[in-house]
Amino acid sequence: MDHHIPMHALPEEIQKMLPEEKVCKYCGVSYLILHEFKAMEEKVKAMEKEMKFYQGSVDREKRLQEKLHSLSQELEQYKIDNKSKTERIYDVGMQLKSQQNEFQKVKKQLSHLQDGLKIKYRQSYIFRLCFCW
């Protein structure tokens, strides 16, 4: 705390006062320091309030650090899960592409078989016409 050193000596009339005249008859504190004492009491109260706030800040910071650590771990797990799912999506996409290629091949074969069936049907029809007359 600041210590106040007066620049000027007390006036002579105060210096010549009897000690009983300079102190409070109720509490015994010198009137000369009573005001300074009250100001220091207010400073102490303000500092105690500030210390409580900072103590709360330390506790809040600790909780926030724990929460941050927990969230960081969750983020890392989500990254791992995301990578795994991305790989799975890629694999499924490749399987789908393979199945689509296979489907196109079967579709072409079906088309060729249908064309062949039409030709056979026409030949059969012509054969029946020729021999049935």
Side-chain angles (χ1 to χ4, degrees):
M1 296 201 186
D2 297 334
H3 179 68
H4 179 68
I5 300 174
M7 294 179 60
H8 305 287
L10 289 172
E12 270 189 56
E13 53 272 355
I14 294 177
Q15 289 180 15
K16 291 180 181 177
M17 289 173 76
L18 295 172
E20 298 85 34
E21 296 176 330
K22 293 187 228 177
V23 297
C24 175
K25 291 180 179 34
Y26 177 72
C27 65
V29 176
S30 169
Y31 291 126
L32 300 175
I33 64 167
L34 183 60
H35 176 71
E36 193 174 319
F37 182 76
K38 291 293 181 186
M40 289 194 330
E41 278 183 337
E42 293 301 317
K43 275 186 179 180
V44 168
K45 285 180 186 178
M47 291 173 109
E48 286 175 345
K49 186 177 179 181
E50 192 174 347
M51 283 176 50
K52 284 181 183 178
F53 171 77
Y54 286 124
Q55 177 61 39
S57 295
V58 169
D59 293 340
R60 285 188 300 274
E61 183 177 354
K62 183 178 178 184
R63 286 192 306 273
L64 289 172
Q65 287 290 342
E66 290 170 356
K67 183 71 173 174
L68 177 62
H69 180 71
S70 172
L71 290 173
S72 294
Q73 287 179 332
E74 285 181 34
L75 176 62
E76 289 305 314
Q77 187 60 45
Y78 290 145
K79 285 180 180 179
I80 292 168
D81 291 347
N82 184 39
K83 184 178 179 185
S84 171
K85 288 177 182 176
T86 301
E87 290 171 355
R88 179 74 178 126
I89 289 170
Y90 176 79
D91 291 344
V92 169
M94 294 303 289
Q95 289 174 0
L96 176 61
K97 188 174 183 177
S98 174
Q99 293 293 326
Q100 286 172 333
N101 290 339
E102 185 66 28
F103 176 74
Q104 292 301 324
K105 287 178 188 175
V106 169
K107 192 174 171 182
K108 272 186 184 179
Q109 287 175 350
L110 177 61
S111 177
H112 289 305
L113 289 172
Q114 285 175 337
D115 290 344
L117 183 61
K118 285 178 188 175
I119 292 170
K120 296 292 181 189
Y121 180 75
R122 285 185 198 139
Q123 288 174 351
S124 168
Y125 181 72
I126 292 171
F127 182 73
R128 274 189 269 153
L129 282 177
C130 290
F131 288 109
C132 289
W133 289 101

